[in-house]
Amino acid sequence: MTGQNVSILVVDDEPPIRRLLRVGLGSQGYAVSEAPNAKAAIELMQAQRPDLILLDLGLPGMTGLELLGKWRDDGLDIPVVILSSRTDEAGIVQALEIGADDYVTKPFGMNELVARIRVALRHKFQQQGEKPVFQAGDLSVDLVKRIVKVEGREVKLSPKEYDILRMLVQYAGKVLTHRFLLKQIWNESTDVQYLRVYVRQLRQKIEKTPDQPRYIITETGVGYRLREVD
C-alpha cells in the first residue's frame, strides 16, 4: 500500500522526531499531522480521523499508554503504531495488549517504519477473514486443508505447532505478544516456556537454519512475528 491519500497523526513531544517523520513520511506520499501531547492529540481527533496514528509512549502529562487506553475504551479502531525506547519492553508489551497494532523502537530507520505502517494499514483495510493459502518464500500454509509445505515438501506438525503457525499466519507481519499467543493457543495461564519449546520445535521443521530463522522472528522480551518474505 502506498502513501497516496493516507493520513497519519504523529503524537510525539520531541520536535526533531516530529520533523523527521513529517519529512520522511511526506516524501512517501503520506499526509502528516502532528500533536506534541495527549491533549493536542485528543483535540485534533475531534476534528479529523487519520488512517493511522504514530504514538510515543513517553508523552508528558497523560502518557501514551493512557491515551491509547482511552482511545480503545472509546471504541477507536484506527491502527496505532507505538514509538518507544529500546529499553521499554514492558511498556511495549502493555501497549500491544491494550490494542496497539505494532511498534518501532527509537532510533528507527524510515524503511522499517514505513514497512510497519503498511502492515498495520493492510490489516485494517483488507476484508475480514484469512487467505486460503499463505505463501512466504519457500513456506506455504494451506489454512483450509491444514497442509504446510517447505520447498514443496509437506511438513508434519503437531496440533499445537500448527495452531501457533496458523495464528502467526493470520497476523502475518504483526508482532504477537507471549500472553496473546498463550491465551489463544492454550486458553489458560501457561508458562511462557511451553510456548518457547513449541516455537523451537516449529522452527526445526520449517526453517532452513533454525538458529537464524527466516520466518518466525523473535521480538525480544515481547513475542514473535511471522516475517512476510519477499
mmCIF file of all heavy atoms in Angstrom, residues 9 11 35 37-42 45 53 55-56 59 62-74 76 98:
data_model
loop_
_atom_site.group_PDB
_atom_site.id
_atom_site.type_symbol
_atom_site.label_atom_id
_atom_site.label_comp_id
_atom_site.label_asym_id
_atom_site.label_seq_id
_atom_site.Cartn_x
_atom_site.Cartn_y
_atom_site.Cartn_z
ATOM 1 N N LEU A 9 -1.411 10.627 11.886
ATOM 2 C CA LEU A 9 -1.248 11.536 13.011
ATOM 3 C C LEU A 9 -0.033 11.108 13.819
ATOM 4 O O LEU A 9 0.025 9.966 14.295
ATOM 5 C CB LEU A 9 -2.496 11.538 13.897
ATOM 6 C CG LEU A 9 -2.378 12.291 15.233
ATOM 7 C CD1 LEU A 9 -2.064 13.765 15.010
ATOM 8 C CD2 LEU A 9 -3.644 12.117 16.060
ATOM 9 N N VAL A 11 1.970 11.614 17.219
ATOM 10 C CA VAL A 11 1.840 12.148 18.574
ATOM 11 C C VAL A 11 3.168 11.909 19.291
ATOM 12 O O VAL A 11 3.476 10.802 19.725
ATOM 13 C CB VAL A 11 0.689 11.468 19.347
ATOM 14 C CG1 VAL A 11 0.467 12.178 20.680
ATOM 15 C CG2 VAL A 11 -0.597 11.467 18.528
ATOM 16 N N ALA A 35 0.896 16.251 16.820
ATOM 17 C CA ALA A 35 0.449 16.690 18.138
ATOM 18 C C ALA A 35 1.592 16.446 19.124
ATOM 19 O O ALA A 35 2.160 15.349 19.139
ATOM 20 C CB ALA A 35 -0.797 15.924 18.575
ATOM 21 N N ASN A 37 1.398 16.411 22.437
ATOM 22 C CA ASN A 37 0.971 15.795 23.695
ATOM 23 C C ASN A 37 -0.426 15.207 23.528
ATOM 24 O O ASN A 37 -1.065 15.361 22.474
ATOM 25 C CB ASN A 37 0.985 16.822 24.837
ATOM 26 C CG ASN A 37 0.208 18.088 24.488
ATOM 27 O OD1 ASN A 37 -0.932 18.022 24.042
ATOM 28 N ND2 ASN A 37 0.845 19.250 24.686
ATOM 29 N N ALA A 38 -0.900 14.540 24.580
ATOM 30 C CA ALA A 38 -2.191 13.851 24.505
ATOM 31 C C ALA A 38 -3.340 14.831 24.324
ATOM 32 O O ALA A 38 -4.275 14.574 23.560
ATOM 33 C CB ALA A 38 -2.410 13.016 25.766
ATOM 34 N N LYS A 39 -3.296 15.970 25.031
ATOM 35 C CA LYS A 39 -4.380 16.958 24.939
ATOM 36 C C LYS A 39 -4.538 17.449 23.502
ATOM 37 O O LYS A 39 -5.662 17.501 22.968
ATOM 38 C CB LYS A 39 -4.091 18.136 25.864
ATOM 39 C CG LYS A 39 -5.172 19.203 25.882
ATOM 40 C CD LYS A 39 -4.847 20.274 26.918
ATOM 41 C CE LYS A 39 -5.949 21.339 26.985
ATOM 42 N NZ LYS A 39 -6.036 22.121 25.739
ATOM 43 N N ALA A 40 -3.420 17.776 22.864
ATOM 44 C CA ALA A 40 -3.479 18.244 21.480
ATOM 45 C C ALA A 40 -3.963 17.136 20.547
ATOM 46 O O ALA A 40 -4.703 17.390 19.596
ATOM 47 C CB ALA A 40 -2.101 18.742 21.043
ATOM 48 N N ALA A 41 -3.551 15.899 20.832
ATOM 49 C CA ALA A 41 -3.973 14.767 20.002
ATOM 50 C C ALA A 41 -5.481 14.553 20.101
ATOM 51 O O ALA A 41 -6.155 14.313 19.093
ATOM 52 C CB ALA A 41 -3.231 13.505 20.424
ATOM 53 N N ILE A 42 -6.018 14.639 21.309
ATOM 54 C CA ILE A 42 -7.459 14.456 21.511
ATOM 55 C C ILE A 42 -8.239 15.548 20.773
ATOM 56 O O ILE A 42 -9.258 15.281 20.126
ATOM 57 C CB ILE A 42 -7.790 14.464 23.016
ATOM 58 C CG1 ILE A 42 -7.214 13.199 23.677
ATOM 59 C CG2 ILE A 42 -9.306 14.539 23.239
ATOM 60 C CD1 ILE A 42 -7.281 13.205 25.185
ATOM 61 N N MET A 45 -8.171 14.872 17.068
ATOM 62 C CA MET A 45 -9.016 13.741 16.700
ATOM 63 C C MET A 45 -10.492 14.115 16.655
ATOM 64 O O MET A 45 -11.296 13.439 16.017
ATOM 65 C CB MET A 45 -8.808 12.587 17.680
ATOM 66 C CG MET A 45 -7.442 11.920 17.566
ATOM 67 S SD MET A 45 -7.264 10.993 16.025
ATOM 68 C CE MET A 45 -8.369 9.627 16.360
ATOM 69 N N ILE A 53 -2.188 6.157 13.434
ATOM 70 C CA ILE A 53 -1.579 7.015 14.451
ATOM 71 C C ILE A 53 -0.205 6.467 14.827
ATOM 72 O O ILE A 53 -0.069 5.264 15.099
ATOM 73 C CB ILE A 53 -2.462 7.103 15.713
ATOM 74 C CG1 ILE A 53 -3.830 7.704 15.369
ATOM 75 C CG2 ILE A 53 -1.771 7.921 16.805
ATOM 76 C CD1 ILE A 53 -4.856 7.558 16.481
ATOM 77 N N LEU A 55 2.290 6.810 17.827
ATOM 78 C CA LEU A 55 2.127 7.278 19.203
ATOM 79 C C LEU A 55 3.363 7.001 20.045
ATOM 80 O O LEU A 55 3.765 5.853 20.211
ATOM 81 C CB LEU A 55 0.906 6.590 19.829
ATOM 82 C CG LEU A 55 0.610 6.882 21.295
ATOM 83 C CD1 LEU A 55 0.315 8.367 21.507
ATOM 84 C CD2 LEU A 55 -0.559 6.030 21.778
ATOM 85 N N ASP A 56 3.942 8.069 20.591
ATOM 86 C CA ASP A 56 5.069 7.947 21.505
ATOM 87 C C ASP A 56 4.556 7.562 22.889
ATOM 88 O O ASP A 56 3.581 8.143 23.380
ATOM 89 C CB ASP A 56 5.816 9.288 21.556
ATOM 90 C CG ASP A 56 6.989 9.272 22.526
ATOM 91 O OD1 ASP A 56 7.578 8.189 22.729
ATOM 92 O OD2 ASP A 56 7.320 10.340 23.068
ATOM 93 N N LEU A 59 4.961 10.408 26.552
ATOM 94 C CA LEU A 59 4.383 11.752 26.465
ATOM 95 C C LEU A 59 4.321 12.408 27.848
ATOM 96 O O LEU A 59 4.147 11.721 28.857
ATOM 97 C CB LEU A 59 2.970 11.680 25.883
ATOM 98 C CG LEU A 59 2.811 11.198 24.444
ATOM 99 C CD1 LEU A 59 1.333 11.087 24.100
ATOM 100 C CD2 LEU A 59 3.525 12.125 23.478
ATOM 101 N N MET A 62 -0.567 13.114 30.310
ATOM 102 C CA MET A 62 -1.155 11.811 30.002
ATOM 103 C C MET A 62 -0.182 11.036 29.133
ATOM 104 O O MET A 62 0.229 11.495 28.073
ATOM 105 C CB MET A 62 -2.499 11.978 29.280
ATOM 106 C CG MET A 62 -3.152 10.641 28.916
ATOM 107 S SD MET A 62 -4.664 10.815 27.915
ATOM 108 C CE MET A 62 -5.806 11.422 29.146
ATOM 109 N N THR A 63 0.201 9.845 29.582
ATOM 110 C CA THR A 63 1.181 9.060 28.843
ATOM 111 C C THR A 63 0.571 8.461 27.582
ATOM 112 O O THR A 63 -0.651 8.434 27.412
ATOM 113 C CB THR A 63 1.728 7.919 29.705
ATOM 114 O OG1 THR A 63 0.660 6.962 29.944
ATOM 115 C CG2 THR A 63 2.275 8.424 31.032
ATOM 116 N N GLY A 64 1.447 7.948 26.728
ATOM 117 C CA GLY A 64 0.976 7.281 25.521
ATOM 118 C C GLY A 64 0.106 6.081 25.841
ATOM 119 O O GLY A 64 -0.894 5.827 25.155
ATOM 120 N N LEU A 65 0.467 5.330 26.881
ATOM 121 C CA LEU A 65 -0.337 4.173 27.278
ATOM 122 C C LEU A 65 -1.733 4.605 27.722
ATOM 123 O O LEU A 65 -2.733 3.974 27.371
ATOM 124 C CB LEU A 65 0.360 3.413 28.408
ATOM 125 C CG LEU A 65 1.531 2.508 28.025
ATOM 126 C CD1 LEU A 65 2.195 1.946 29.277
ATOM 127 C CD2 LEU A 65 1.062 1.368 27.118
ATOM 128 N N GLU A 66 -1.793 5.665 28.506
ATOM 129 C CA GLU A 66 -3.092 6.148 28.979
ATOM 130 C C GLU A 66 -3.938 6.655 27.817
ATOM 131 O O GLU A 66 -5.154 6.410 27.766
ATOM 132 C CB GLU A 66 -2.877 7.259 30.008
ATOM 133 C CG GLU A 66 -2.264 6.769 31.311
ATOM 134 C CD GLU A 66 -1.825 7.903 32.217
ATOM 135 O OE1 GLU A 66 -1.541 9.007 31.712
ATOM 136 O OE2 GLU A 66 -1.756 7.676 33.441
ATOM 137 N N LEU A 67 -3.305 7.346 26.880
ATOM 138 C CA LEU A 67 -4.032 7.857 25.720
ATOM 139 C C LEU A 67 -4.549 6.713 24.854
ATOM 140 O O LEU A 67 -5.704 6.718 24.415
ATOM 141 C CB LEU A 67 -3.121 8.774 24.901
ATOM 142 C CG LEU A 67 -3.729 9.402 23.637
ATOM 143 C CD1 LEU A 67 -4.991 10.185 23.964
ATOM 144 C CD2 LEU A 67 -2.698 10.283 22.937
ATOM 145 N N LEU A 68 -3.696 5.721 24.629
ATOM 146 C CA LEU A 68 -4.112 4.557 23.845
ATOM 147 C C LEU A 68 -5.276 3.847 24.527
ATOM 148 O O LEU A 68 -6.256 3.451 23.867
ATOM 149 C CB LEU A 68 -2.930 3.601 23.665
ATOM 150 C CG LEU A 68 -3.232 2.274 22.967
ATOM 151 C CD1 LEU A 68 -3.727 2.507 21.544
ATOM 152 C CD2 LEU A 68 -1.991 1.375 22.961
ATOM 153 N N GLY A 69 -5.169 3.664 25.853
ATOM 154 C CA GLY A 69 -6.255 3.016 26.588
ATOM 155 C C GLY A 69 -7.566 3.773 26.466
ATOM 156 O O GLY A 69 -8.629 3.171 26.292
ATOM 157 N N LYS A 70 -7.500 5.103 26.552
ATOM 158 C CA LYS A 70 -8.705 5.923 26.404
ATOM 159 C C LYS A 70 -9.306 5.736 25.028
ATOM 160 O O LYS A 70 -10.527 5.543 24.884
ATOM 161 C CB LYS A 70 -8.368 7.390 26.638
ATOM 162 C CG LYS A 70 -9.498 8.359 26.260
ATOM 163 C CD LYS A 70 -9.121 9.803 26.516
ATOM 164 C CE LYS A 70 -10.106 10.764 25.853
ATOM 165 N NZ LYS A 70 -11.516 10.429 26.102
ATOM 166 N N TRP A 71 -8.463 5.789 23.993
ATOM 167 C CA TRP A 71 -8.972 5.638 22.628
ATOM 168 C C TRP A 71 -9.626 4.280 22.409
ATOM 169 O O TRP A 71 -10.704 4.177 21.835
ATOM 170 C CB TRP A 71 -7.839 5.850 21.627
ATOM 171 C CG TRP A 71 -7.580 7.293 21.315
ATOM 172 C CD1 TRP A 71 -8.455 8.338 21.431
ATOM 173 C CD2 TRP A 71 -6.362 7.865 20.819
ATOM 174 N NE1 TRP A 71 -7.853 9.514 21.037
ATOM 175 C CE2 TRP A 71 -6.590 9.261 20.654
ATOM 176 C CE3 TRP A 71 -5.111 7.334 20.493
ATOM 177 C CZ2 TRP A 71 -5.596 10.124 20.180
ATOM 178 C CZ3 TRP A 71 -4.131 8.194 20.018
ATOM 179 C CH2 TRP A 71 -4.371 9.578 19.879
ATOM 180 N N ARG A 72 -8.968 3.218 22.885
ATOM 181 C CA ARG A 72 -9.536 1.882 22.700
ATOM 182 C C ARG A 72 -10.817 1.713 23.531
ATOM 183 O O ARG A 72 -11.774 1.082 23.072
ATOM 184 C CB ARG A 72 -8.505 0.814 23.056
ATOM 185 C CG ARG A 72 -7.308 0.714 22.091
ATOM 186 C CD ARG A 72 -7.736 0.667 20.644
ATOM 187 N NE ARG A 72 -6.648 0.333 19.731
ATOM 188 C CZ ARG A 72 -6.493 0.859 18.519
ATOM 189 N NH1 ARG A 72 -7.346 1.779 18.086
ATOM 190 N NH2 ARG A 72 -5.495 0.486 17.739
ATOM 191 N N ASP A 73 -10.852 2.275 24.738
ATOM 192 C CA ASP A 73 -12.068 2.208 25.556
ATOM 193 C C ASP A 73 -13.218 2.940 24.884
ATOM 194 O O ASP A 73 -14.386 2.564 25.040
ATOM 195 C CB ASP A 73 -11.812 2.812 26.939
ATOM 196 C CG ASP A 73 -10.966 1.917 27.825
ATOM 197 O OD1 ASP A 73 -10.803 0.726 27.489
ATOM 198 O OD2 ASP A 73 -10.446 2.422 28.839
ATOM 199 N N ASP A 74 -12.879 3.992 24.130
ATOM 200 C CA ASP A 74 -13.903 4.764 23.412
ATOM 201 C C ASP A 74 -14.322 4.108 22.097
ATOM 202 O O ASP A 74 -15.176 4.633 21.382
ATOM 203 C CB ASP A 74 -13.381 6.179 23.112
ATOM 204 C CG ASP A 74 -13.248 7.029 24.367
ATOM 205 O OD1 ASP A 74 -13.821 6.651 25.406
ATOM 206 O OD2 ASP A 74 -12.547 8.066 24.323
ATOM 207 N N LEU A 76 -12.265 3.476 19.467
ATOM 208 C CA LEU A 76 -11.498 3.914 18.304
ATOM 209 C C LEU A 76 -10.728 2.726 17.721
ATOM 210 O O LEU A 76 -9.941 2.085 18.415
ATOM 211 C CB LEU A 76 -10.507 5.011 18.707
ATOM 212 C CG LEU A 76 -9.744 5.669 17.564
ATOM 213 C CD1 LEU A 76 -10.659 6.589 16.767
ATOM 214 C CD2 LEU A 76 -8.543 6.442 18.099
ATOM 215 N N ILE A 98 -3.063 -3.605 25.160
ATOM 216 C CA ILE A 98 -4.156 -2.642 25.218
ATOM 217 C C ILE A 98 -4.827 -2.502 23.858
ATOM 218 O O ILE A 98 -6.025 -2.261 23.753
ATOM 219 C CB ILE A 98 -3.640 -1.263 25.692
ATOM 220 C CG1 ILE A 98 -3.271 -1.315 27.170
ATOM 221 C CG2 ILE A 98 -4.687 -0.175 25.472
ATOM 222 C CD1 ILE A 98 -2.616 -0.045 27.676
#
